[in-house]
Amino acid sequence: LRCLVSMSRFQESKGKTLATNVLFSMKTDQEQVRPLFTFAVLWRRNQVEMQDPNTDRGIYTVITSTANALVKPMHPTRIPVILTQPSYDT
């Protein structure tokens, strides 16, 4: 199933030991308020062979695309797909 996940920021890490962590958020004039944005996500019910069959939970994965110039220095291959509101129904 397709779904949307809204958030105010996401983190990318570079390196394995002593990784450098960078938070990404939408640009705003107000330092204390971060506007929400939305990731494109695929979601499904519990996959029994991978989890405890007595646990009822969903599994989701964030859809990614080629990294843009802002994220590329931290994660050179991909970035989560960020949707704008006109794209939600599609």
Side-chain angles (χ1 to χ4, degrees):
L1 301 171
R2 296 176 294 172
C3 68
L4 305 173
V5 176
S6 295
M7 59 196 69
S8 60
R9 59 186 167 224
F10 70 96
Q11 176 180 304
E12 288 290 350
S13 300
K14 183 175 186 175
K16 295 186 189 243
T17 312
L18 300 173
T20 301
N21 299 314
V22 175
L23 288 173
F24 293 92
S25 62
M26 294 296 176
K27 190 174 183 177
T28 180
D29 294 335
Q30 299 175 333
E31 203 170 304
Q32 299 299 325
V33 179
R34 289 188 169 90
L36 291 177
F37 55 92
T38 305
F39 281 176
V41 172
L42 295 175
W43 173 89
R44 66 179 168 151
R45 278 274 174 224
N46 193 15
Q47 186 174 352
V48 177
E49 63 272 11
M50 292 180 65
Q51 296 182 9
D52 179 355
N54 299 318
T55 303
D56 183 25
R57 56 182 132 161
I59 300 169
Y60 73 92
T61 185
V62 175
I63 299 170
T64 60
S65 185
T66 305
N68 64 17
L70 183 64
V71 174
K72 195 173 251 186
M74 292 305 296
H75 199 297
T77 59
R78 62 184 176 268
I79 183 175
V81 172
I82 299 172
L83 300 174
T84 58
Q85 193 162 2
S87 302
Y88 289 178
D89 288 338
T90 304

